Amino acid sequence: EIVLTQSPGTLSLSPGERATLSCRASQSVSNNYLAWYQQKPGQAPRLLIYGASSRATGIPDRFSGSGSGTDFTLTISRLEPEDFAVYYCQQYASSPRTFGQGTKVEIK
Amino acid sequence: QVQLVQSGSELKRPGASVKVSCKASGYSFTSYALNWVRQAPGQGLEWMGWISTNTRNAAYAQGFTGRFVFSLDTSVSTAYLQINSLKAEDTAVYYCARAMISDYWGQGTLVTVSS
């Protein structure tokens, strides 16, 4: 089983700042089958990034994904008020398709 | 537009069973697999497994074998999650999500298990 470790657990930032979220895998994620999701309270998760770096339909270009192998990053270039949420990474390269534990981006 | 609409909240006694539905619309139901994901109160996302809407083959993550059953009714483009012998620790929101990359999600179904 691939274990995904996200850091930091909580990120306290102000609107307009840059957010950098990390997702580290216990073993290489083949084909870079790594996705990022955003979840707001009381809502279902929303797909942001798949294939480590491809933005999903309708996702603003301030969201970008990078990385390969075992180290992946989600970057939000300038935080908007609606971006404060919890972010999860998930690998879908092998079963079980594990999630990271999440990073909460909160308003400073 | 693609939609996954899940059934409403459920309150069940320990030992009972529950069946959660996930009705798909806006795309060819048998073209994409469906995942099931659990989220316990205040916790993160946990992948339960997936079902092929084409072959009906299902795969379950460890911890979701035995009491958990994925099924389909392709005639009404609906997937089901049945949980048998419910326990208090099954209290959670259950989501269905489309395809390997989970590009569309249902709104979630809260299952509460309490005596």
Side-chain angles (χ1 to χ4, degrees):
Chain A
E1 171 176 327
I2 298 177
V3 176
L4 298 179
T5 302
Q6 292 187 240
S7 61
T10 302
L11 201 49
S12 298
L13 294 168
S14 300
E17 289 194 293
R18 181 185 189 90
T20 303
L21 287 67
S22 173
C23 176
R24 181 160 291 177
S26 60
Q27 54 189 280
S28 185
V29 177
S30 60
N31 300 307
N32 292 331
Y33 280 175
L34 192 287
W36 290 93
Y37 303 90
Q38 176 194 67
Q39 187 179 34
K40 297 179 182 179
Q43 295 185 17
R46 176 174 72 145
L47 175 68
L48 300 175
I49 301 287
Y50 64 95
S53 60
S54 297
R55 265 188 304 276
T57 303
I59 301 303
D61 61 7
R62 64 179 181 274
F63 291 92
S64 63
S66 62
S68 64
T70 60
D71 288 300
F72 299 89
T73 300
L74 174 69
T75 302
I76 311 171
S77 58
R78 292 175 313 279
L79 282 164
E80 297 287 340
E82 61 268 26
D83 299 336
F84 292 92
V86 179
Y87 293 83
Y88 295 94
C89 57
Q90 184 198 24
Q91 65 81 21
Y92 51 98
S94 65
S95 189
R97 297 177 188 166
T98 44
F99 287 94
Q101 81 279 17
T103 290
K104 181 179 183 180
V105 179
E106 65 176 22
I107 299 176
K108 187 175 182 180
Chain B
Q1 72 283 21
V2 175
Q3 279 192 303
L4 297 174
V5 178
Q6 297 184 225
S7 49
S9 298
E10 301 268 9
L11 172 61
K12 295 290 185 181
R13 302 290 192 201
S17 295
V18 68
K19 195 168 188 177
V20 175
S21 66
C22 169
K23 183 171 177 58
S25 61
Y27 71 97
S28 174
F29 182 67
T30 55
S31 293
Y32 297 89
L34 281 169
N35 298 286
W36 287 96
V37 176
R38 181 171 78 177
Q39 188 168 39
Q43 302 301 308
L45 303 173
E46 189 174 16
W47 185 75
M48 301 173 63
W50 67 285
I51 184 165
S52 167
T53 54
N54 191 9
T55 66
R56 296 178 179 268
N57 287 340
Y60 300 87
Q62 198 170 13
F64 296 100
T65 56
R67 297 189 299 116
F68 298 81
V69 181
F70 307 148
S71 62
L72 303 170
D73 185 343
T74 56
S75 68
V76 290
S77 300
T78 300
Y80 301 94
L81 163 65
Q82 181 163 330
I83 312 173
N84 300 315
S85 303
L86 283 162
K87 305 176 182 180
E89 51 265 40
D90 294 326
T91 294
V93 175
Y94 293 84
Y95 294 100
C96 58
R98 188 186 83 156
M100 281 178 65
I101 59 172
S102 295
D103 55 355
Y104 290 90
W105 292 65
Q107 83 276 20
T109 296
L110 173 62
V111 175
T112 303
V113 184
S114 175
S115 54

